[in-house]
Amino acid sequence: AHDSETEEWRVLQFVVDSARGVCTQSITKVFAARSAGQLRACARTLALGYTRACVSVALSAAHALGSPLLEAAASPRALVIGLGAGSMPLWLGAQLPSRLRCDVVELDPTVVAAAMGALGFPRHVVRDCQGLLAAATDLFISDSDRLAVYLCE
């Protein structure tokens, strides 16, 4: 965090129903600007065990299959199903070589709005697509962005 920012932990929860209460979907660290109220997600933290496990299994499987993830000449791609707070795609982008492309598909606009508005996920990478076919087409045609989130209602 910069001197003008404070660190905060934020939780994304969904109300299941009155009998079962809430379900914690994500926990993430954000940096909040003291003056402007702007948020920036911390890309180097995976707070929940299941996010660390998902990333560990994916990277281990890629290595076992001979993927050159850590080689400088590699151009690895990752597909994340479901955005949540955006911790996994941000972490992958921060930890793997600069040529990693990470695509995320999210169906629920409420999740995307929460990630951007309350959890500091960057707005400029979100693409509002008219269905999964449009997202898939853009995913395979576009090669300019390292991170893209496809909102497919």
Side-chain angles (χ1 to χ4, degrees):
H2 301 159
D3 291 340
S4 62
E5 296 177 317
T6 59
E7 292 182 6
E8 299 176 6
W9 288 97
R10 301 270 176 112
V11 179
L12 177 60
Q13 295 180 322
F14 295 101
V15 176
V16 178
D17 59 36
S18 59
R20 292 183 281 177
V22 297
C23 171
T24 298
Q25 199 279 341
S26 300
I27 299 174
T28 192
K29 183 189 287 188
V30 298
F31 302 113
R34 292 187 178 133
S35 59
Q38 296 174 332
L39 296 175
R40 180 173 54 91
C42 176
R44 301 207 179 268
T45 303
L46 293 174
L48 292 176
Y50 88 89
T51 56
R52 290 190 300 271
C54 287
V55 168
S56 295
V57 168
L59 293 176
S60 296
H63 178 72
L65 293 170
S67 176
L69 286 175
L70 301 178
E71 294 176 14
S75 298
R77 290 188 76 169
L79 175 63
V80 177
I81 307 297
L83 178 63
S87 301
M88 279 192 278
L90 291 174
W91 187 90
L92 286 167
Q95 298 300 322
L96 292 177
S98 63
R99 295 184 58 180
L100 171 79
R101 163 121 186 218
C102 186
D103 298 296
V104 182
V105 176
E106 176 58 61
L107 301 177
D108 190 342
T110 305
V111 171
V112 175
M116 292 185 306
L119 303 170
F121 192 82
R123 296 176 185 276
H124 71 278
V125 300
V126 176
R127 296 182 171 116
D128 194 353
C129 294
Q130 300 301 313
L132 290 172
L133 182 58
T137 302
D138 188 71
L139 188 143
F140 287 106
I141 291 173
S142 175
D143 63 355
S144 60
D145 297 323
R146 288 190 52 228
L147 174 62
V149 175
Y150 297 93
L151 175 57
C152 305
E153 295 183 62

